């Protein structure tokens, strides 16, 4: 018996020392080899990464120092957007305080110069208010060619949305300013081609509001506002052949500016053509939501 016990003791003591462990204490094991507590696994704290805030929407207004363009710039600033403007005359002559918050560029859309490309840097949306009257050839260039150049450049620079303030169809009256409407429609076609999912075309009728001509302010609302209310009651006449378009109601410049900025910044705003009644409908929806 003593021989068996002696062999068992000898067998236990012959085990390598690293394999002889005491019972666990507080969830840790103590090694008889070093009598030190095993160090827990160290987990390094994850590095904090500074994620930049989402980029601010940057809007470029073409013709921003004009009657409609200036209202678009002001509306965009009121919504907290970063606003730039490009026009042939450059900085606006308006003395309103908001004009100081616009980045003004001078350039000619009839020549794709570097100034226009520089103005497009970082731009997410473009609103074009470029247009004018004159000879048929001049009207086609300023309403058509200039805007077509802008559309193509914006598309090449990765601009997401392009809004164009065009004009309503006045039927037979279109022939009196043929170059004007031919240019407008050519620009519209280019927008729908280059921006099938982000191109919006506004077709207002007569746009009224207080218009500055030099130091003189013309209160066009004195005529436009009553006509707008009157034509709202005569909407069925708009469907008459030939003369129907002449009953297209006027619209306030503020309403056009609000819808233009919304169309340029709202990703769910449907692309395509918005007529005068659509402009009024969107304006009423905005007013109700406030």
């Amino acid at each position: 018996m003593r021989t068996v016990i002696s062999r068992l003791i000898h067998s236990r003591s012959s085990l390598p020392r690293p394999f002889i462990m005491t019972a666990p204490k507080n969830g840790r094991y103590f090694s008889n080899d070093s009598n030190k507590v095993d160090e827990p696994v160290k987990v390094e704290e994850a590095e904090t990464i500074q994620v930049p805030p989402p980029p601010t929407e940057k809007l470029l207004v073409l013709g921003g120092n004009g009657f409609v363009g200036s209202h678009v710039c002001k509306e965009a600033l009121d919504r907290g957007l970063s606003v730039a403007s490009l026009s042939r005359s450059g900085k606006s002559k308006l003395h309103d305080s908001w004009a100081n918050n616009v980045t003004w560029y001078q350039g000619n859309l009839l020549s794709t110069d570097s100034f226009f490309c520089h103005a497009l840097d970082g731009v997410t949306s473009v609103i074009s208010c470029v247009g004018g009257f004159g000879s048929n050839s001049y009207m086609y260039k300023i309403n058509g060619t200039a805007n077509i150049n802008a559309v193509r450049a914006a598309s090449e620079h990765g601009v997401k949305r392009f809004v164009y303030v065009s004009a309503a169809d006045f039927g037979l009256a279109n022939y009196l300013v043929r170059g004007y409407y031919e240019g407008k429609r050519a620009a519209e076609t280019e927008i729908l081609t280059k921006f099938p999912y982000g191109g919006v075309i506004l077709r207002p009728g007569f746009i009224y509001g207080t218009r500055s001509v030099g130091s003189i302010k013309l209160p066009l609302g004195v005529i436009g506002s009553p006509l707008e209310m009157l034509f709202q009651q005569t909407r069925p006449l708009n469907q008459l052949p030939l003369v129907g378009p002449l009953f297209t109601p006027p619209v306030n410049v503020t309403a056009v500016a609000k819808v233009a900025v919304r169309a340029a910044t709202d990703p769910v705003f449907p692309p395509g053509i918005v007529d005068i009644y659509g402009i009024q409908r969107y304006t009423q929806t905005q007013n109700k939501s406030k």
Side-chain angles (χ1 to χ4, degrees):
M1 177 63 95
R2 291 180 178 177
T3 302
V4 174
I5 296 174
S6 175
R7 289 178 179 178
L8 289 173
I9 295 174
H10 178 74
S11 174
R12 177 179 175 84
S13 63
S14 65
L15 290 172
R17 293 185 65 85
F19 290 95
I20 303 176
M21 306 295 289
T22 64
K25 182 179 180 181
N26 296 330
R28 298 177 181 173
Y29 286 90
F30 293 88
S31 170
N32 287 337
D33 185 51
S34 60
N35 291 326
K36 293 183 180 180
V37 179
D38 290 349
E39 293 294 332
V41 178
K42 293 183 179 180
V43 180
E44 294 184 0
E45 184 180 354
E47 181 182 357
T48 302
I49 300 176
Q50 298 294 335
V51 180
T56 303
E57 293 280 347
K58 184 177 180 181
L59 176 68
L60 176 63
V61 182
L62 305 179
N65 56 5
F67 174 49
V68 178
S70 60
H71 283 80
V72 170
C73 288
K74 184 178 183 301
E75 174 66 21
L77 289 171
D78 289 343
R79 295 197 185 188
L81 301 176
S82 174
V83 182
S85 171
L86 176 77
S87 61
R88 288 179 296 177
S89 57
K91 188 174 182 179
S92 174
K93 296 180 180 179
L94 297 174
H95 299 291
D96 298 332
S97 59
W98 61 263
N100 297 324
N101 298 320
V102 176
T103 302
W104 300 97
Y105 294 97
Q106 184 175 10
N108 189 349
L109 293 177
L110 292 175
S111 61
T112 53
D113 51 29
S114 59
F115 290 102
F116 182 42
C117 294
H118 179 62
L120 283 170
D121 289 342
V123 169
T124 53
S125 303
V126 173
I127 299 178
S128 176
C129 305
V130 174
F133 292 93
S135 65
N136 280 323
S137 60
Y138 174 80
M139 287 190 289
Y140 186 89
K141 286 182 180 179
I142 199 67
N143 294 282
T145 306
N147 283 297
I148 290 172
N149 289 343
V151 172
R152 291 175 178 174
S155 177
E156 292 173 358
H157 278 73
V159 172
K160 298 177 182 178
R161 301 183 70 83
F162 197 107
V163 180
Y164 178 42
V165 180
S166 187
D169 190 341
F170 282 96
L172 293 176
N174 293 4
Y175 291 99
L176 299 177
V177 284
R178 188 178 70 255
Y180 178 86
Y181 279 97
E182 288 179 352
K184 291 282 188 184
R185 299 302 177 251
E188 291 179 2
T189 300
E190 191 69 21
I191 292 170
L192 296 177
T193 301
K194 297 293 186 182
F195 292 89
Y197 303 108
V200 178
I201 298 164
L202 305 183
R203 286 185 177 178
F206 169 65
I207 302 176
Y208 68 86
T210 301
R211 186 164 191 164
S212 298
V213 181
S215 59
I216 303 174
K217 291 186 179 296
L218 301 177
L220 301 180
V222 174
I223 300 174
S225 184
L227 284 177
E228 181 178 13
M229 291 187 291
L230 174 63
F231 286 176
Q232 286 291 348
Q233 307 302 320
T234 60
R235 182 172 179 177
L237 297 177
N238 187 256
Q239 304 302 318
L240 293 175
L242 300 180
V243 297
L246 297 177
F247 291 93
T248 300
V251 62
N252 193 303
V253 65
T254 302
V256 175
K258 287 181 179 296
V259 178
V261 174
R262 179 183 171 185
T265 57
D266 187 351
V268 301
F269 195 101
I273 298 173
V274 182
D275 64 10
I276 176 58
Y277 301 106
I279 295 173
Q280 293 174 335
R281 184 171 63 254
Y282 280 116
T283 304
Q284 293 170 359
T285 302
Q286 284 183 316
N287 293 336
K288 290 179 180 179
S289 62
K290 291 183 178 181

